[in-house]
Each structure stands twice: as C-alpha cells, then as structure tokens.
Amino acid sequence: MKILLAGGAGYIGSHTALALLNSGHDVVIADNYYNASPEAVRRVEKLTGKPVTLYEADVQDRDAMMKIFKENDIDCVIHFAGLKAVGESVKKPLFYYRNNIDTTLTLLECMEATGVKNFVFSSSATVYGAENAIPYVETMHRGSCSNPYGWTKYMMEQILTDAVAADPDMNLVLLRYFNPIGAHESGMIGEDPKGIPNNLMPYISQVAVGKLDHLTIFGNDYDTPDGTCRRDYIHVMDLAEGHVKAVEYIADHPGTNIFNLGTGTPYSVLEIVKAFEKANDLKIKYEFGPRRAGDLPEFWANADKAKKVLGWTATRTLEDMCRDSWNWQKQNPNGYRD
Ligand code: UD1
C-alpha cells in the first residue's frame, strides 16, 4: 500500500516510516519540521535502502495537501501531525486547538475530495482521563482530560468517528498510545525534542550525556509501590510495528476500530531511572521535587484487543528501551543537529 504519513518526519512518524518500508509498503511524508527534521527521513532511507517521497508542507494547508494527494495514489493516511507538549498546551491552548483540529479537518477534506478511505489516527491514553479504572480498556468511556493537548486528542477522535459514521466506505483505526520511549536499535533515528525535554526518557538521556545536570522526579508521595508515578512505557519500534498491523487490517474492517498500544506492564519513575543505570552501566543524578500539575498517579493498558485482533504484541523489554534510548543519545548528543 502507499501510505501518507502526515507529520512523518517526527519521532513516532520516522520509526513508523522505517517499519512500513521494511514491510514492503511505499511511504509519502508531509511535514513542516516544526518538531521534526528532514534528516530523520534521510536516515530512514539510508537504513532501509528505499526512497521516501518527502514534502515540506504544513498539514493545515489545504492547497499544499491537495497537491500531495493528487500527485500520489494514496491508499491510507496516518495522522502524526499533532502538537504534543502538555505544559505548552496549557500556556498556548489556541495554538494547540488550531493546529491539531485543523490538520485533522484538512486531511479529511482532502481524502473526501480524492476518494481516499482509510485513516489511522495517532491517539493517546490521555483520552481515558482520571475517572476510569486501571488498566484502561478500549470500551471505557472517554474521561475528562487534564489539559488542552488531551482535549485535542479527544476532539480529533470525535471528529474522525463522526466523519466515518457519515460515510459507509470509510475505515478508521484509532491507536491509543501509552508512553513511547526508545529508538531504532541502530541509534541513527530517535527522539529529538526541541529545547529542554518535557518527557521522562529524553530528560534522563540528556542528564546522562551531560547536557542537563540532574533529573527532578515529580513527586514521591503518590499512593504507588515506591511513591513515584507509574506508566506503561512502550518501545517506539513496537509501536511502529503496531501501525504496520493497523494499516494491513484497516481496509477490510469498516467503521471505527480502537486499539490500545501498550505493554500492559507499568513501571515507576524510579524503576525507569534504575533500569537506565543498569542497562547502560552509568549513574543518573536525581532529586525528588513536587508533583507536576495534571499527572495521574498511575495508568497502563489492557493490550489484549490488539493481540487478539491485530496479532500484535509488544516484544521489546525495558532493558531494550533504556539501551536504545542511550545508544541514540550518545551517538547524537545534539539530535539531528549533529
Ligand atoms: C504525557 C501525556 C501523554 C503524552 C505523553 C508524550 C497526559 C496526561 N499525558 O504523558 O498523553 O502522550 O506525555 O508527550 O496528557 N517525570 C519526572 N520528571 C521529568 C519528566 C517526567 O518525574 O522531568 C515523570 C512524570 O511525572 C510522569 C512520568 O515521568 O510520572 C512520565 O512523564 P512523561 O514522559 O512526561 O509522560 P506522561 O506525562 O505520562
């Protein structure tokens, strides 16, 4: 199949491009490089020995996107072109709503105009909200999100579900990611956040490489086994392979199908720090600080549905995630700017 990856030069998009190419699919990428780099795509081409059709384009821009749809015979769209920093979304909510909602509407309008029927969406466990019991199951109601970023995912899911309900020929897969970390085992592609990282694993990696002095662990007084928050961390290559399964499933399965992509096993912040130290034989300086606003004490996936229906399961261990994150960071201390 020929797959359009909107926002495909970013962290999850680039790893998914690699997995799709290695499974024999063709890849077209549209990205404005806001939080991504064309160098990631060049490295994907190098790793796979296969070409990617790459456009510098803002996915909100209907004219630019129509040109891409007309120039390529697209079978399926995967939408990664979302802003995703929780704290920034609280400070700049309109920026988040404008980008995340408009990119979704533009893609749907271009698909309608050109007859493309398959849409895979990069959603998040954040849509379950605080009220649901753990582990999260796809059939649970979507809860109250704790920040504008989360609400954009909630709203994008709604827009897509309504669009698909109105067109019996359209197919939609919502992939709800848990906490993706790690990098391709080559260390050639990985996560390259702008400025000081918000997320745990890039922060730890930058402490390890000496760019940041120490990690602050946000709270050690939660009602969890060691007092720090627990999450379902998943290797980005497992996540990427989940997208390949979704793309190969979607065309024969009308309507909306939802899958959690997680491992089903939670780890605490302290366990992540210890695992990173052990896997890479180094020390991470850390201290405990106050809780971060909006953080839930713990959540993880029930990943049974993806296993049963897609035949997908995460196979990489926490040690793999820690080793591969460090391998990428130490080879690329300044990300793609090296
Ligand atoms: C958040 C979003 C999630 C999004 C993900 C990636 C919510 C509720 N969660 O997940 O939807 O997909 O970011 O963008 O919207 N931590 C520290 N010190 C740090 C950084 C993090 O202790 O410097 C802790 C956090 O308190 C948390 C854990 O590490 O317990 C993971 O944090 P993070 O990587 O930011 O991901 P989430 O907040 O779980």
Side-chain angles (χ1 to χ4, degrees):
M1 289 168 82
K2 186 177 264 196
I3 325 290
L4 172 63
L5 275 56
Y11 173 44
I12 299 170
S14 56
H15 288 80
T16 301
L18 185 143
L20 285 167
L21 290 165
N22 281 342
S23 301
H25 298 287
D26 293 322
V27 170
V28 178
I29 290 178
D31 204 302
N32 65 358
Y33 309 133
Y34 176 77
N35 192 22
S37 166
E39 178 61 19
V41 180
R42 280 193 281 276
R43 294 189 189 183
V44 166
E45 290 181 316
K46 207 165 167 189
L47 282 164
T48 58
K50 293 180 182 170
V52 170
T53 308
L54 177 62
Y55 293 89
E56 180 171 0
D58 188 325
V59 179
Q60 292 177 71
D61 181 342
R62 199 170 185 277
D63 292 341
M65 294 308 294
M66 271 307 291
K67 180 170 177 285
I68 296 171
F69 276 85
K70 282 183 179 154
E71 284 178 7
N72 297 278
D73 197 6
I74 305 292
D75 296 302
C76 179
V77 172
I78 312 183
H79 181 10
F80 297 105
L83 299 170
K84 58 153 197 173
V86 172
E88 187 185 44
S89 79
V90 175
K91 293 193 185 103
K92 300 182 189 172
L94 301 187
F95 181 50
Y96 270 65
Y97 286 113
R98 172 64 73 193
N99 180 82
N100 288 4
I101 306 289
D102 266 4
T103 49
T104 307
L105 292 173
T106 298
L107 287 170
L108 283 170
E109 286 169 358
C110 291
M111 289 170 70
E112 188 178 45
T114 56
V116 179
K117 297 296 182 188
N118 301 309
F119 197 121
V120 174
F121 181 57
S122 204
S123 192
S124 166
T126 197
V127 301
Y128 290 109
E131 301 99 81
N132 282 306
I134 304 160
Y136 294 151
V137 183
E138 291 87 345
T139 47
M140 285 174 168
H141 75 279
R142 294 177 306 148
S144 40
C145 302
S146 57
N147 56 75
Y149 153 77
W151 280 117
T152 67
K153 290 287 180 193
Y154 180 100
M155 290 176 192
M156 289 187 277
E157 282 200 353
Q158 192 63 48
I159 291 166
L160 289 162
T161 306
D162 289 343
V164 168
D167 180 349
D169 295 329
M170 265 197 92
N171 312 314
L172 171 65
V173 170
L174 304 177
L175 297 177
R176 293 185 179 151
Y177 309 159
F178 282 69
N179 285 58
I181 59 172
H184 184 256
E185 62 180 7
S186 65
M188 281 177 64
I189 57 171
E191 185 168 13
D192 181 18
K194 268 186 164 181
I196 296 174
N198 301 297
N199 299 115
L200 179 63
M201 188 51 92
Y203 206 105
I204 291 176
S205 305
Q206 292 198 15
V207 170
V209 86
K211 289 181 78 179
L212 296 168
D213 178 65
H214 68 277
L215 170 73
T216 300
I217 295 181
F218 299 140
N220 63 340
D221 58 350
Y222 284 98
D223 186 15
T224 57
D226 65 17
T228 66
C229 293
R230 295 202 295 169
R231 296 286 181 272
D232 184 337
Y233 295 94
I234 173 171
H235 195 294
V236 67
M237 284 310 300
D238 279 328
L239 192 75
E241 287 162 9
H243 290 74
V244 177
K245 293 284 189 187
V247 157
E248 291 171 354
Y249 167 89
I250 193 168
D252 303 327
H253 296 86
T256 298
N257 288 284
I258 307 175
F259 298 99
N260 285 339
L261 294 184
T263 65
T265 304
Y267 290 104
S268 74
V269 180
L270 266 177
E271 284 174 321
I272 297 291
V273 172
K274 298 293 165 205
F276 191 94
E277 291 183 334
K278 186 161 179 255
N280 301 314
D281 195 21
L282 43 74
K283 282 280 167 211
I284 298 297
K285 198 170 145 195
Y286 68 86
E287 61 184 36
F288 294 113
R291 294 181 178 193
R292 182 170 68 176
D295 274 346
L296 295 178
E298 54 183 4
F299 60 84
W300 60 91
N302 174 321
D304 293 350
K305 188 179 171 195
K307 184 173 184 185
K308 198 169 148 219
V309 179
L310 296 179
W312 172 90
T313 188
T315 58
R316 294 163 179 89
T317 64
L318 180 58
E319 189 185 348
D320 298 332
M321 301 182 215
C322 292
R323 189 199 53 233
D324 292 339
S325 289
W326 176 231
N327 190 28
W328 151 255
Q329 185 73 62
K330 74 177 178 218
Q331 287 186 50
N332 304 272
N334 299 308
Y336 293 112
R337 288 165 294 284
D338 285 327

